Amino acid sequence: MANKFDEILRAFEQSTVSHLVYKDQEFSLELSKDVKTRKEPETLTTVEKVENVEKIAEPKEKEDVLESPANYKEIKSPMLGIAYTRMNPDEEPLVKVGDEIKKGQVMCVIEAMKMFNEVTSEVDGVLKAINFKDEDMVEFDQTLFEVEEHA
């Protein structure tokens, strides 16, 4: 019986259990302990938290915020998938920033369920921005390209 008691005691000491009740035909045992086995991560004081939030959330000056001109057209992803700027890995990209773009021109392809879907321009203009990297996962309605539309 002493051997059984020692075994239970050792197991209880090594565990994270804080309260144990053991009963059998020979004896009953109730154990409890204050469990503080893992070190708590250091936390910031309330003052430090408030100071950090203020530093992060400082409002930007109005001049710092760039707005797209009214004649910029966003070309968005029609689906979720992997976007490619090239038809084949060893070919040049279909478009580059600064290129003249024609309505209906293929801008990229998106692979979804082993099917390649072309994304075409809806306007004539100059490509001002490509908002993804080759082989990025893109989401439905994500802006892929920004084109400055010709008037």
Side-chain angles (χ1 to χ4, degrees):
M1 179 151 91
N3 193 15
K4 191 176 200 179
F5 176 75
D6 290 338
E7 190 178 313
I8 293 170
L9 206 67
R10 258 188 254 108
F12 180 72
E13 286 175 357
Q14 293 174 356
S15 75
T16 58
V17 175
S18 62
H19 188 81
L20 173 72
V21 177
Y22 178 84
K23 291 181 185 178
D24 72 6
Q25 295 168 342
E26 297 175 21
F27 73 98
S28 69
L29 175 68
E30 185 172 346
L31 301 170
S32 48
K33 64 181 175 182
D34 184 22
V35 179
K36 277 272 190 190
T37 56
R38 69 171 202 250
K39 183 180 175 187
E40 294 296 320
E42 291 183 28
T43 57
L44 297 174
T45 64
T46 304
V47 174
E48 290 171 324
K49 287 179 185 176
V50 170
E51 287 173 1
N52 287 337
V53 168
E54 288 172 2
K55 288 177 186 172
I56 293 169
E58 289 176 5
K60 292 185 175 184
E61 293 296 320
K62 194 167 186 171
E63 298 103 44
D64 291 348
V65 178
L66 297 175
E67 292 182 20
S68 297
N71 62 338
Y72 269 42
K73 176 72 177 172
E74 294 179 339
I75 298 174
K76 297 187 177 210
S77 176
M79 67 191 64
L80 173 77
I82 299 173
Y84 297 93
T85 58
R86 309 162 195 266
M87 290 293 210
N88 292 311
D90 47 341
E91 289 182 4
E92 287 292 312
L94 294 165
V95 292
K96 294 182 237 112
V97 173
D99 285 356
E100 284 287 327
I101 305 300
K102 299 289 179 199
K103 185 176 183 174
Q105 179 177 347
V106 177
M107 306 285 287
C108 70
V109 291
I110 297 178
E111 179 185 5
M113 295 175 31
K114 301 196 188 253
M115 299 282 295
F116 288 88
N117 304 280
E118 295 179 344
V119 176
T120 59
S121 176
E122 301 165 8
V123 295
D124 292 335
V126 177
L127 182 59
K128 292 296 183 177
I130 300 174
N131 298 323
F132 68 96
K133 293 181 188 135
D134 203 29
E135 299 184 19
D136 272 358
M137 176 66 79
V138 294
E139 297 180 16
F140 171 74
D141 209 34
Q142 176 180 335
T143 300
L144 301 175
F145 302 98
E146 294 175 34
V147 178
E148 184 177 7
E149 189 174 9
H150 292 313

